[in-house]
Amino acid sequence: MITYNSENVKFPGIRRRDTTAWIRRVAATYGKRVGEVGYLFCDDEKILEVNREFLNHDYYTDIITFDYDDGDTLNGDIVISLDTVRSNAEQLGKDYDEELHRVIIHGILHLCGQNDKGPGEREQMEAAENRALALRGQNV
């Protein structure tokens, strides 16, 4: 089950049923199924609080993914700052909705085993995000 919640922000204009189906399609391309995944959409202050409390990081970010995977079943919590998503979209000249969906799937890709911190991994993650975004409108 995928749950969606918000704290300190208006819930984003995503279609939960369509988003859930899309996430399941993307996970399946990695041979994974979705177990318990929780999304929390929040503001910059909340994500900074989470970053400090759980990761000992003192900075803002667009997403934090907590991975509780069990074999081929994806389980985790994904915290997304809508403030940072919006400012990133503006800085990159991207559509907010596209950037939001890119970040939504970014967390799932982490749960599927994709990384973005090592040499060459950022480019691989971006390619995986682009492939996942291409699946977004498909009814497979």
Side-chain angles (χ1 to χ4, degrees):
M1 176 195 319
I2 301 175
T3 59
Y4 305 92
N5 295 288
S6 64
E7 185 173 325
N8 301 335
V9 294
K10 181 180 174 227
F11 193 85
I14 63 168
R15 298 176 64 177
R16 295 176 204 216
R17 186 172 295 154
D18 292 344
T19 301
T20 295
W22 171 55
I23 289 168
R24 290 183 192 285
R25 280 195 304 277
V26 171
T29 68
Y30 289 87
K32 308 282 186 178
R33 65 181 195 84
V34 176
E36 299 289 328
V37 175
Y39 280 91
L40 176 64
F41 299 102
C42 63
D43 63 0
D44 273 349
E45 293 312 309
K46 178 64 180 178
I47 208 160
L48 180 60
E49 176 186 315
V50 170
N51 226 349
R52 287 174 174 160
E53 181 176 345
F54 295 100
L55 301 175
N56 293 318
H57 296 161
D58 192 22
Y59 54 81
Y60 299 100
T61 187
D62 52 355
I63 183 171
I64 299 173
T65 304
F66 296 98
D67 186 344
Y68 316 126
D69 285 354
D70 182 18
D72 288 335
T73 303
L74 304 183
N75 296 294
D77 289 315
I78 300 171
V79 183
I80 296 175
S81 169
L82 297 182
D83 292 339
T84 299
V85 169
R86 185 169 305 284
S87 63
N88 286 350
E90 290 170 4
Q91 288 175 5
L92 297 169
K94 301 277 186 180
D95 176 71
Y96 171 75
D97 185 63
E98 180 182 338
E99 186 65 16
L100 175 59
H101 283 86
R102 180 177 296 278
V103 174
I104 286 170
I105 211 62
H106 182 93
I108 294 298
L109 292 170
H110 274 306
L111 296 180
C112 288
Q114 293 289 311
N115 294 310
D116 59 359
K117 301 292 185 213
E121 290 179 340
R122 182 67 216 146
E123 293 79 9
Q124 291 174 356
M125 176 64 88
E126 286 179 16
E129 290 168 353
N130 290 336
R131 284 191 303 274
L133 287 168
L135 291 175
R136 191 168 144 225
Q138 297 179 7
N139 293 322
V140 177

